[in-house]
Amino acid sequence: MTRMMQTTARAGMLCVLLAANGGLAFAAACPGPAGFSAWLQKFKQQAIAQGISPETVSTALDGLAYDPATIAKDRGQGVFAQTFAQFSGRMVSANRMQMGSALLKKNADTFARIEQEYGVPGPVLVAFWGLETDFGKVMGNLETLRSLATLSYDCRRPQEFQEQLLYALRVIERGDLSPPEMRGPAHGEVGQFQFQPKNYFEHAVDFDGDGRRDLIRSAPDSLASAANYLQSIGWKAKQPWLEQVRVPADLPWQEADVTIKKPLAFWAQHGVTYLNGKTLPADDVPVGLVLPMGRNGPAFLAYPNFDIYLEWNKSLVYCTTAAYYATRLAGGPVLSKGNGPIEPLTQAQTKELQQLLARQGFDVGKIDGVIGAQTRDAIRTMQVKFGLPADSYPTAELLARMQGQ
Ligand code: CA
């Protein structure tokens, strides 16, 4: 649920850890710190007009100063992309497997109650927990209200952050957290699952029964709130989310995309099997085939619950990693090496490929070395044109063909 990955379009093959916002181009038109306190006075009046009590507004916002550190973080960071192999290798480490399993065991009763109430299994929650904050250990340390106010005043996305700031005030007014307790990363996410304030206000639950929805210190509150949120956006109980499969050497690769749903029977007919070689059931559950490293890499069936992951975070690499980690915690197999060697393009090569695609008239979005859905579609079209296996995965061969055009 972190903003950093939400800001990008569905990220495809590469994991966007930090969104680039192209700050310099806007810097000249953006207000500096000088006008902040006058703006804050006005905002306080607006918050009161929105029904938040003058006491809460005063406690939360009096004396708040513009935060250059927030702005520096918002502006300064470039795109930093990782492949699925890199990101999942780092995130689903032996250490995280051990910690995740131990937490599942230690809190078995809580997870059972949560699954009963919200239909979301423990491994799914623990995997998000590990990826978001290393199980509540790394939640960010900037003052949330100060960050949100600074970004609300700033010129880039003021409406978005003003809305979040109002929700942060509502969370305070409800008595869930006090202003000094609210600390996090630069964009106002809070707690063990990095909820944005609006989601906090709308989906947080008190699960340990102390009367407060405390997503910072209470693990039961945090886990149940994440489950409540997932259920609210459509998680289906007792249904799978992701499953590793074995793909044959030949497939209609152009059908392999998370956005293209085919009945399980379709994949079974084309020779896709479970990892152990067993036949898939020939039923009509609509599933997508996800190949995060192309046709030679690991392959996954993405079930309807996987779409819920993409609501949580738009990066396909993040989602595939979180969902794979959850399958491992639920007893699933380790990552298969797939069918052959994979040599991912560097970010610079990916940028060059995007430039060449743009020159051919494709809209690939921002030329940033990050493969989103648009770039993936363009790659697939060119692969079909060149008679290459159309798995939407950028290769050196495709780049060479494009350079030769
Ligand atoms: Ca509580």
Side-chain angles (χ1 to χ4, degrees), residues 148-315:
L148 285 173
T150 300
L151 292 167
S152 295
Y153 162 73
D154 190 41
C155 60
R156 309 272 286 281
R157 302 176 301 289
Q159 271 82 22
E160 182 187 330
F161 287 106
Q162 283 170 25
E163 187 192 20
Q164 294 296 340
L165 182 53
L166 285 171
Y167 276 103
L169 297 176
R170 292 184 181 113
V171 167
I172 292 164
E173 179 138 286
R174 197 166 60 182
D176 294 340
L177 293 174
S178 69
E181 286 173 323
M182 296 184 96
R183 300 187 85 95
H187 294 100
E189 307 91 333
V190 176
Q192 303 196 16
F193 283 83
Q194 302 281 279
F195 272 35
Q196 289 174 288
K198 184 172 194 278
N199 283 329
Y200 197 122
F201 187 75
E202 291 178 347
H203 301 291
V205 293
D206 170 28
F207 206 67
D208 60 13
D210 73 348
R212 291 207 313 166
R213 302 165 187 85
D214 183 350
L215 303 195
I216 292 180
R217 272 159 314 186
S218 168
D221 285 8
S222 300
L223 292 160
S225 298
N228 183 41
Y229 172 71
L230 289 167
Q231 188 192 45
S232 79
I233 57 174
W235 184 272
K236 299 275 187 301
K238 311 274 182 207
Q239 300 292 314
W241 52 96
L242 189 78
E243 183 153 33
Q244 264 197 91
V245 287
R246 198 191 280 177
V247 291
D250 197 25
L251 257 187
W253 298 113
Q254 68 279 3
E255 308 291 355
D257 193 276
V258 70
T259 59
I260 302 173
K261 317 285 184 190
K262 296 279 177 191
L264 259 180
F266 173 89
W267 300 115
Q269 273 161 23
H270 282 91
V272 176
T273 67
Y274 289 117
L275 208 54
N276 61 13
K278 275 195 187 152
T279 318
L280 298 175
D283 65 28
D284 58 0
V285 176
V287 291
L289 183 65
V290 176
L291 305 170
M293 303 293 291
R295 71 190 198 285
N296 288 327
F300 300 94
L301 291 180
Y303 290 88
N305 269 340
F306 188 73
D307 288 338
I308 306 307
Y309 278 84
L310 292 163
E311 289 283 318
W312 182 285
N313 191 299
K314 287 184 168 53
S315 158

